[in-house]
Amino acid sequence: MDLFNLKDDSDKVSFAAAVKKGLGKNQGLYFPKSFPKFDDINELLDKPFVERSVEILTSLIGEELPEETLRNIVERAFVFSAPLVKVMDNVYSLELYHGPTLAFKDFGGRFMAQCLSEIAKGEPITILTATSGDTGAAVAHAFHGIDNINVVILYPKGKISLLQEKLFTTLGDNIHTVSIDDDFDACQQLVKTAFDDPDVREGLHLNSANSINVSRLLAQVCYYFEAIAQLPVEKRHDVLVSVPSGNFGNLTAGMIAKVMGLPIEHFIAATNSNDTVPRYLKTGEWNPNPTVATLSNAMDVSQPNNWPRIEAMIDRGLLDKSILSGDSVDEEYTQVAMRQLAQNGYVSEPHAAIAYKALMRELKEDQIGIFLGTAHPAKFRESVENVLGQPISLPQPLADCAGKEILSAELPSDYEALKQHLFATLQGE
Ligand SMILES: *Cc1c(COP(=O)(O)O)cnc(C)c1O
């Protein structure tokens, strides 16, 4: 697989290098030079999820990873399903939250972890990252128990919910968590300082494993195929897909699936009030506003970092611009949508509800609509219970960790203290 840097065509890398480096020169995103296209889609869609995903990923990645290796990676990464659940006539939810941390980020995170472990070939790596909640959990679970990879996660003390904290601080083994007596920005700053410090960067073989890693996108392509595969053949010709979007990785993956021949007629980029992209699609002007806090907090992003990849697909003529529209759903309509879904017997959370609302504003009578369910309602228990006025029960992974002990170290917001802690924890082994 050949990839190039969207900010510098001459920066070309293999899949392995793109996975290891994450970002290219000048903070540029890596993007595939070309995409394979499937001729007989229905034959591909007939295959089981894992089998089909191996085929899709082999066609994308090519000979760099032998098919057998890729099969092992996929079998370890995709250990949960992505059911397409009928919500009402012609409207379906693709539930992507049946993994260990109850959000779609488990797909990309687990695939990235397995790829990195394969590509590093036993050379030691330290993943250092800061989290405001969800990403940390997905990364921690994805890397838990992988040999030669240590994970250090910083998070702001007392600023995430107890349940969220328990989800990634109770694992132990190669997962090291540190609560920092400050806010999320301070945690992120500590991570940046560590990456700029050659002692730590080289001494501990730092890697960021962040959300712009191309391996995540490739993994996410697979569940769009899984969505269409669950529709009867006669319903596959006029499908609209609505994607609740923050950094736009999820939507990028869907559009790649379309380039590869998957029949999706139209995509909707559904956002909350952080509506940079819907405004851009309407006016042609890129004018990010300051980020505002919403119920769908995983989408509180006003400068989405995957957008250049979508722009590249359109600019290079891989897809026509008309395939995508944008819509922003405010706080009031987010709640209205959650209640409407509940009246149809479907309990949802704010992110999926936004995608549902945007879908219903565009869906025509003869079309099939799919909205992506990106998180389990229990992950946003408080707001769901407030809006719907009914209790939500805890799914198994949350219930399991609720009783476990938090294993985090506590540190002040001070780089020297962190540095000392890193060496003491990681080199003492
Ligand atoms: C991360 C996240 C999103 C946004 O996905 P992007 O790929 O960043 O657009 C949406 N919903 C939930 C629940 C998330 O955790």
Side-chain angles (χ1 to χ4, degrees), residues 103-105 134 220 244-250 298-299 349 351 374-375 380:
F104 80 98
K105 292 188 172 77
D134 289 346
Q220 290 175 240
S245 296
N247 269 318
F248 282 78
N250 214 350
M299 301 179 356
E349 49 72 45
H351 305 77
T374 44
F380 297 90

Side-chain angles (χ1 to χ4, degrees), residues 297-334:
N297 57 37
M299 301 179 356
D300 291 347
V301 179
S302 57
Q303 311 219 35
N305 58 18
N306 269 297
W307 183 256
R309 286 174 163 146
I310 291 180
E311 193 95 33
M313 278 189 270
I314 293 169
D315 286 352
R316 283 161 200 264
L318 296 172
L319 290 175
D320 192 80
K321 212 171 151 180
S322 63
I323 192 168
L324 177 65
S325 54
D327 196 1
S328 133
V329 177
D330 67 16
E331 292 292 90
E332 187 189 336
Y333 275 103
T334 302

